[in-house]
Amino acid sequence: RIHNKFSTLFNFLFFLRYLFGIFFISIVSFLLIPHFFDLNKKSEIIKNHLIQSHGIKLNNYENIKYSSIPQPNLEIKNAILGAEKGKLKIKVKNLIIYPKLLSIYNYNKFETKKIILNKSTVLLQDTDLKTFISYTRYLKNKIFFKNLTIKIYRDDTLLVNLKKINFSHYGHNKN
């Protein structure tokens, strides 16, 4: 006690810098370690979750990539999606899935916060338009369409081509 240069307040503050350093390193490592996972092996779990929570079938995709900045997400490139019910076909350049934080490591209990379909194209027959509207209307989870293009056909002739539609569906948490 005689050779102590700092008061107890300074000792406490110097101890806190080590504590903050440990928390910072652990959070950064928690977010960066999933970059080393092979997510193509977990694709069946992701497909099953999309069917159960959003009613979307992931038919074909190019690759799955994890990104930790600005928010942890899974990005699926060049995906072809279909609705569980009906003949709905959606081509998506970037399907971005935002999982809950603990779902990054535990794929057995995989849960998502929201899904963004970026640069997507919906190909519909004129008889399937009602199916698409009812599909988007009765979703229970968050889904966002950015730069959506809707093409409506009748007997292989283009009737309507709607471009650059942004649509947000907040599920049951509306208003």
Side-chain angles (χ1 to χ4, degrees), residues 6 17 19 47 161 165:
F6 306 107
R17 71 177 175 185
L19 195 61
K47 286 180 184 180
N161 188 7
I165 298 171

Side-chain angles (χ1 to χ4, degrees), residues 68-81:
S68 59
I69 297 176
Q71 205 176 13
N73 61 50
L74 301 173
E75 185 174 348
I76 301 174
K77 296 276 188 179
N78 298 327
I80 297 175
L81 306 174

